Amino acid sequence: MKSSQTSREILRTVGVSKEYPGVKALSNVDFDLLSGEVHILLGENGAGKSTFTQIVAGAVHNDNGEIYLDRKKVNIKSCLHAQELGVGMVFQESHLLPLLTVAENIFCGHEPLKKGEKGPIDWNYMREKSAELLGKLGYTIDVNTKVGQLNLVERRMVEFAKALSQNCKVMILDEPTASLSAKETEQLFTVIRELKKQNVGIIYISHRLDEVKRIGDRVTVFRNGAKIKTLRVADTDTDELIELMVGRKMESIYPWEERQIGETVMKVEGFTHPKYFQNISFSLHRGEILGICGLKGSGKSEILRAIFGDLKISDGKMEIAGKMVTIHTPSQAIQNKMAYVPADRRREGLNLNFDIVKNTTIASMKKFTVWGLLSDKKELAAAQQYKEQLQIKTPTVKKMVRQLSGGNQQKVVLAKWLSSDAQIIIFEEPTNGIDVGAKFEFHQLIMELAKSGTAVILMSSDLPELVGMSDRVLVMKEGSIVGRLEHAELTQEKVLQYAT
Ligand SMILES: Nc1ncnc2c1ncn2[C@@H]1O[C@H](COP(=O)(O)OP(=O)(O)OP(=O)(O)O)[C@@H](O)[C@H]1O
Ligand SMILES: [Mg+2]
């Protein structure tokens, strides 16, 4: 934090509360933010972090309480109003318009005009400035591209650029690094440090606890909609923060066990794609957890998509259970008992307008039939079981997924695939945005799957998770496998050495 002479209070909330039907999302939150500080919000999924920041950013209205900006009481009416007051936010879920270009999205709502206030929109300035802002984030994207054509990480970058373009006093980042790799995270931190120097106050929500020490000045913990405590980062540690979040002591260990790995279930040989990867060969065994990692551009996601028939290869062969197979489409992969849980789950993993029960069972309907008919009772029991195991925070499993917090939506995706009877499951960034307690449960569930013979491919940029859970790790770089590490020799440092 800057010295106390120069930092001043820029935001204060007093007694902020919010209720949704049947859920007290926030109760009586007192909070303050200083200029030039990074104030981290922590809490389990559903604790109220997004709701609280959405209120400050004008996207949600509070039922009670007061908000002060620069010590002046304000009544924030909308996102646009919040922006005018100097509050910008990068939301947990994308707020971009897919049919508009990158530049149009960045300046949507505050388009620069020629000749001051009156002229037509200054398109050239808009495009140049957009490219410049993205450049600051270490990104070059053609600013004339439609946002709908971008991948998850690129869309994130456009959202950061959009927030930066508003020159705000208060910047809110809701799980900004959830889909970013180590290098992109570093780039974002550089930008955050620069914003701090310009005296911007930053509210930063994350489930990656290592980030607290790296970027935070103060930290506030939420539990069940209430503020539990605000601490200086220098005065606390991870164990204390976990205890404050979950309300009890918890050991952060991985449930990995030494065990007998079975026969080969999948053999990939010489997979090549003209753009993304060359000559990739590896095998996967029954009951094995195979980690895959690499930086952006290493080809790690593309190779998984190719295996699943979602990306066409120019050369290569694949065997499943000893038989040569050709997989050209995801549905052929599914017929071969494969499942793929992509990182971009809102796009590809959930039906937001269905309830939790349907979303849980949709990938494995057969399991839930009796005499060929779908059994409500069986479906309900399965959803109920995962609700408890993964601690999905909801009054009932009949709730529409749209109404769950971001992390609880992710848990439903995991439930869906954990309950499928696939023999090979590919998880891409499975615990992104998931709180510590549920992470631990999920790791246990994966371990149980592996013990019962399922082969798991785990692609994760959460290095402690990758190292803690994998039997073997393949490290990719520039389209090739550059390192193969066994569990006994796995360390985060080694993985990074190969990856960079
Ligand atoms: N639109 C909505 N309708 C009904 N309930 C909602 C709605 N939005 C949020 N909630 C509920 O409010 C509570 C707080 O949710 P919030 O999204 O603020 O949690 P969070 O701390 O951001 O969690 P996460 O880490 O999972 O993102 C949750 O119980 C959630 O189900
Ligand atoms: Mg949230």
Side-chain angles (χ1 to χ4, degrees), residues 2 7 92 144 168 178 213 272 282 348 392 394 419 436 439:
K2 309 200 103 195
S7 49
Q92 190 170 9
N144 298 313
C168 36
K213 279 259 180 276
T272 298
F282 66 88
E348 305 174 57
I392 300 174
T394 174
S419 82
V436 277
K439 247 186 212 177

Side-chain angles (χ1 to χ4, degrees), residues 120-184:
I121 293 178
D122 191 344
W123 295 100
N124 280 336
Y125 175 85
M126 209 162 111
R127 281 191 284 265
E128 275 162 28
K129 193 73 190 163
S130 296
E132 183 193 317
L133 289 166
L134 286 163
K136 259 196 193 170
L137 293 157
Y139 250 74
T140 34
I141 305 173
D142 178 359
V143 297
N144 298 313
T145 316
K146 294 232 172 10
V147 159
Q149 287 162 8
L150 302 180
N151 69 28
L152 181 68
V153 174
E154 290 167 335
R155 292 203 307 270
R156 279 322 262 174
M157 292 300 162
V158 173
E159 295 196 74
F160 296 144
K162 184 175 168 67
L164 289 177
S165 74
Q166 292 156 6
N167 293 322
C168 36
K169 298 184 282 205
V170 176
M171 167 82 94
I172 301 169
L173 301 169
D174 194 348
E175 297 190 36
T177 54
S179 44
L180 305 191
S181 67
K183 206 168 151 206
E184 291 149 348

Side-chain angles (χ1 to χ4, degrees), residues 177-227:
T177 54
S179 44
L180 305 191
S181 67
K183 206 168 151 206
E184 291 149 348
T185 301
E186 217 34 70
Q187 196 81 37
L188 179 71
F189 285 178
T190 309
V191 174
I192 290 179
R193 288 187 194 108
E194 206 177 293
L195 289 174
K196 280 179 61 157
K197 278 194 209 135
Q198 297 163 16
N199 261 326
V200 176
I202 296 153
I203 303 180
Y204 186 104
I205 300 176
S206 184
H207 287 290
R208 293 188 174 177
L209 294 178
D210 57 310
E211 296 182 346
V212 174
K213 279 259 180 276
R214 293 183 55 205
I215 195 83
D217 297 303
R218 285 193 299 162
V219 48
T220 289
V221 178
F222 278 56
R223 198 194 315 145
N224 283 329
K227 181 178 108 172

Side-chain angles (χ1 to χ4, degrees), residues 14-71:
V14 180
V16 165
S17 300
K18 172 78 194 172
E19 212 170 311
Y20 287 112
V23 186
K24 187 112 189 99
L26 281 180
S27 31
N28 268 322
V29 176
D30 297 342
F31 175 88
D32 72 284
L33 177 71
L34 303 175
S35 62
E37 82 162 332
V38 175
H39 195 145
I40 298 195
L41 297 191
L42 294 179
E44 292 184 287
N45 297 131
K49 305 175 298 293
S50 294
T51 305
F52 176 69
T53 46
Q54 280 165 350
I55 288 172
V56 176
V60 167
H61 292 283
N62 45 322
D63 304 332
N64 288 304
E66 286 141 30
I67 300 172
Y68 298 85
L69 281 170
D70 279 330
R71 298 183 179 274

Side-chain angles (χ1 to χ4, degrees), residues 65-326:
E66 286 141 30
I67 300 172
Y68 298 85
L69 281 170
D70 279 330
R71 298 183 179 274
K72 272 204 285 293
K73 191 170 161 182
V74 288
N75 178 11
I76 302 174
K77 297 191 185 76
S78 65
C79 286
L80 213 56
H81 186 204
Q83 278 169 27
E84 284 161 15
L85 292 167
V87 180
M89 174 157 180
V90 174
F91 292 89
Q92 190 170 9
E93 276 100 36
S94 178
H95 277 212
L96 299 175
L97 302 165
L99 294 176
L100 297 189
T101 67
V102 169
E104 285 162 350
N105 264 287
I106 291 177
F107 283 96
C108 183
H110 59 288
E111 290 83 356
L113 302 179
K114 283 184 184 165
K115 299 182 209 132
E117 298 273 288
K118 292 211 175 77
I121 293 178
D122 191 344
W123 295 100
N124 280 336
Y125 175 85
M126 209 162 111
R127 281 191 284 265
E128 275 162 28
K129 193 73 190 163
S130 296
E132 183 193 317
L133 289 166
L134 286 163
K136 259 196 193 170
L137 293 157
Y139 250 74
T140 34
I141 305 173
D142 178 359
V143 297
N144 298 313
T145 316
K146 294 232 172 10
V147 159
Q149 287 162 8
L150 302 180
N151 69 28
L152 181 68
V153 174
E154 290 167 335
R155 292 203 307 270
R156 279 322 262 174
M157 292 300 162
V158 173
E159 295 196 74
F160 296 144
K162 184 175 168 67
L164 289 177
S165 74
Q166 292 156 6
N167 293 322
C168 36
K169 298 184 282 205
V170 176
M171 167 82 94
I172 301 169
L173 301 169
D174 194 348
E175 297 190 36
T177 54
S179 44
L180 305 191
S181 67
K183 206 168 151 206
E184 291 149 348
T185 301
E186 217 34 70
Q187 196 81 37
L188 179 71
F189 285 178
T190 309
V191 174
I192 290 179
R193 288 187 194 108
E194 206 177 293
L195 289 174
K196 280 179 61 157
K197 278 194 209 135
Q198 297 163 16
N199 261 326
V200 176
I202 296 153
I203 303 180
Y204 186 104
I205 300 176
S206 184
H207 287 290
R208 293 188 174 177
L209 294 178
D210 57 310
E211 296 182 346
V212 174
K213 279 259 180 276
R214 293 183 55 205
I215 195 83
D217 297 303
R218 285 193 299 162
V219 48
T220 289
V221 178
F222 278 56
R223 198 194 315 145
N224 283 329
K227 181 178 108 172
I228 299 299
K229 202 169 185 180
T230 298
L231 294 141
R232 277 162 34 104
V233 168
D235 302 337
T236 183
D237 58 29
T238 307
D239 284 346
E240 183 186 17
L241 292 172
I242 291 179
E243 198 179 332
L244 287 170
M245 279 198 292
V246 300
R248 64 189 153 87
K249 275 210 187 316
M250 208 189 90
E251 273 185 90
S252 42
I253 45 162
Y254 291 93
W256 185 87
E257 279 175 42
E258 180 95 61
R259 63 207 189 282
Q260 197 73 37
I261 301 290
E263 72 280 3
T264 304
V265 286
M266 183 167 83
K267 205 162 150 194
V268 170
E269 253 184 66
F271 262 42
T272 298
H273 182 281
K275 193 165 154 209
Y276 298 118
F277 47 81
Q278 319 87 39
N279 204 14
I280 300 287
S281 301
F282 66 88
S283 48
L284 174 70
H285 305 87
R286 206 176 131 77
E288 181 180 35
I289 302 176
L290 175 67
I292 294 191
C293 70
L295 301 178
K296 172 185 168 276
S298 63
K300 56 180 177 175
S301 309
E302 287 79 10
I303 186 76
L304 299 182
R305 282 177 49 206
I307 292 169
F308 199 67
D310 191 32
L311 183 70
K312 200 166 171 248
I313 50 169
S314 54
D315 203 5
K317 293 186 296 197
M318 177 151 89
E319 278 178 23
I320 286 185
K323 278 201 212 84
M324 197 70 86
V325 291
T326 36

